[in-house]
Every structure is written in C-alpha cells, then in structure tokens.
Amino acid sequence: MTAQIIDGKKIAQNIREQLKLEVSKLSVKPGLAVVLVGSDPASQTYVNSKEKACQEIGFYSEVHRLPETIGESELLALIEKLNQDPKIHGLLVQLPLPKHINEEKIILAVNPAKDVDCFHPVNTGALFSGFDTGILPCTPAGCIELIKSTGVALSGKKAVVVGRSNIVGKPAAMLLLQNNCTVTLCHSRTADLSAEVRQADIVIAAVGKAGLITGDMIKPGAVVIDVGTNRVNGKLTGDVDFVSASQAAGFITPVPGGVGPMTIAMLMKNTMIACLNPFNPL
Ligand code: GUN
C-alpha cells in the first residue's frame, strides 16, 4: 500500500485565496505585527514567510527585527506600544527568545485579543475549557485541517500525538479531543512509543527528531501528520521516515509542503478573526 500525499501547500493556498477575497470586501485592513529578536535562521525564515503571506493577502504588516542584545524592558515597551496600536489586530513574538529574556513574561504581555499565536494563558485556557474565542493555535489547527482534508472522520478515532510542547503537542491533543478522538499524548518518557503509535488511526509527530517514526510503527491506513522540521545535511526532514511510513499509511504529509504552509495560513486566518473580533478593545 502506498499512502496518498496530503498537499498542505495547495490547501494553504486555497485558504489564503479565500482570505484575499474577504479582505477585498472589508472596510478595515487587518494588521499583523511580528517581532523577531536575534538572528536564528529558522525564525528568520518563518518571519519572512509570515510577512510575505500578509503582503499577498492584502494585510497591513509590520516586522520588528531586534538585536539579540535587546533588553527585556525594551521588548516589553514595544509590545505595549503594539498592544495600543489600532492598525495592529494580530501581534506575535517569534520564539525562541534569547536566554536573558523571560519567555513567559513576554507571552503574558501580549494583549490576549491580539494573540494570534494563541500562546497567552487566557487563550490556551479558553481552548482547554472549550470557550469559542475564534482563535485557534496555528500549527495544531493546521494539522486538524489537513486531517479533515482526507475525508477521514475524526470522531471515535484513536489519535496519538508524539511530543508535548506548548506550541504543538499539548494544544494538538486538545483539538483532537474537541473533535471526539480518543487521544494519547506521548513524550520522551513514554515507555513503549512504538506500541502506542501502532494503535493510532491518526498520528501527529511533533518532537523534532528526524525519522523517529518509522513505517513499522504505523497502523495500515493511518493518517500521518508530520510537524517535524529538522535540518539533516542541509535538507529539511520530518519526524517521520517518509519512505517507510508511506508504505503503511493511508495518508501522509510531506516535509516540506505539509504542515508548514498550513501554520502560516492559519495565522492569517487568526489575524482576520482578531480584526473582526468585537471583544478587541481597539
Ligand atoms: N516558534 C516556532 N513556532 C512558532 C509559532 O508558531 N509562533 C511563534 N511566535 N514562534 C514560533
């Protein structure tokens, strides 16, 4: 059996075209501010893609590129300024931040109504409690869209998430639960990862270990979503060993061209929602 490839690039492009059409009908221009501290190459690439997507869709966009040495108080002052700026509906600070800056303090400083990453505890708490703010965490929401694109129903399925990060694993588990999956959240201390993954009708791999999930772990016909973005000899590689996994899976995402473009598309969608959000005080 050879899996059908889930074309994240195409699905993301459709979402962006839909947003472009909606923006053209609005009297306000949704605005996204992105703050990048330092020169991490992966972060620079992500931020450039976010800026480009805004321009293509017709959003107002600001990117603040700050030196690695910036002080925490200066960064907090910039966030406060952007919180108050009526042109800005979505505001995100690219992670990771340099060690001398307290990441939690920065996440807490972002106005929850502008938190298009869905990182603020007000928004993660809302997600946990099932409150509908309209804002969903970008990468996990992208994964759900990709699963739904296969036509496979989520309700009642066994889903295994590998990785418990705040950005992907934990919120992905929560979204799968909301979609009535029976969810297992695996991590570095999981006793028998292969046995857990082998049970799964749906697998989301988000650990950052190239090729960790191999074909022998995949239940025949499963939907496999690979969030991994590992550099191996200069080449972008997922957490799933694509060659062996695609022999067993029913559907699989490629890396690149799977989850990555969806993260950006969902961020754009969140920015549109934040702009239209009546709870936004500005
Ligand atoms: N670092 C890795 N992924 C993300 C993301 O989705 N948003 C932000 N702000 N930083 C990240």
Side-chain angles (χ1 to χ4, degrees):
M1 185 173 184
T2 301
Q4 234 172 286
I5 292 174
I6 305 172
D7 189 348
K9 203 171 159 186
K10 192 167 117 199
I11 298 164
Q13 189 58 38
N14 287 342
I15 294 169
R16 280 153 58 155
E17 267 156 29
Q18 185 63 39
L19 288 170
K20 191 171 175 176
L21 194 71
E22 284 174 40
V23 175
S24 67
K25 295 177 191 157
L26 290 179
S27 54
V28 280
K29 200 170 181 161
L32 176 68
V34 175
V35 180
L36 172 64
V37 182
S39 53
D40 176 71
S43 290
Q44 280 178 326
T45 305
Y46 297 144
V47 166
N48 290 341
S49 301
K50 291 169 187 181
E51 187 177 27
K52 203 168 136 232
C54 281
Q55 286 160 358
E56 182 198 303
I57 294 169
F59 286 176
Y60 172 72
S61 147
E62 275 180 18
V63 179
H64 297 262
R65 292 179 173 85
L66 307 172
E68 186 94 20
T69 52
I70 192 167
E72 190 178 85
S73 57
E74 277 173 276
L75 181 57
L76 287 168
L78 172 62
I79 292 169
E80 194 42 42
K81 194 174 118 231
L82 296 168
N83 278 342
Q84 304 290 339
D85 186 339
K87 294 191 300 302
I88 301 303
H89 306 95
L91 161 57
L92 73 87
V93 181
Q94 190 67 29
L95 302 181
L97 288 168
K99 281 190 190 66
H100 68 277
I101 296 174
N102 181 334
E103 226 162 70
E104 289 184 3
K105 218 165 161 179
I106 299 305
I107 289 169
L108 285 171
V110 173
N111 177 352
K114 296 191 177 189
D115 171 35
V116 283
D117 262 336
C118 199
F119 287 175
H120 193 290
V122 163
N123 289 322
T124 56
L127 174 69
F128 188 98
S129 300
F131 288 25
D132 184 14
T133 62
I135 299 290
L136 293 173
C138 302
T139 302
C143 293
I144 299 289
E145 288 299 311
L146 292 175
I147 298 163
K148 288 185 173 169
S149 79
T150 65
V152 171
L154 284 92
S155 185
K157 296 290 162 59
K158 278 195 198 298
V160 169
V161 180
V162 188
R164 56 171 151 182
S165 70
N166 284 336
I167 296 183
V168 187
K170 272 192 252 177
M174 206 49 67
L175 287 184
L176 289 163
L177 180 62
Q178 245 170 40
N179 281 276
N180 302 315
C181 290
T182 301
V183 183
T184 302
L185 185 46
C186 297
H187 47 77
S188 53
R189 311 290 172 90
T190 294
D192 190 344
L193 181 65
S194 300
E196 301 292 349
V197 175
R198 225 172 266 130
Q199 302 283 318
D201 304 301
I202 296 163
V203 181
I204 296 183
V207 261
K209 281 203 166 135
L212 177 72
I213 309 297
T214 47
D216 57 301
M217 300 182 188
I218 302 296
K219 180 176 171 178
V223 180
V224 178
I225 308 294
D226 189 353
V227 185
T229 52
N230 313 291
R231 290 258 160 215
V232 179
N233 302 325
K235 200 167 156 256
L236 197 61
T237 311
D239 291 345
V240 177
D241 176 51
F242 186 85
V243 172
S244 63
S246 59
Q247 295 307 305
F251 300 89
I252 191 167
T253 61
V255 176
V259 175
M262 289 301 286
T263 296
I264 309 276
M266 300 322 277
L267 175 68
M268 298 298 120
K269 193 173 163 188
N270 279 346
T271 302
M272 169 72 90
I273 290 165
C275 174
L276 301 175
N277 183 355
F279 298 112
N280 192 323
L282 295 172

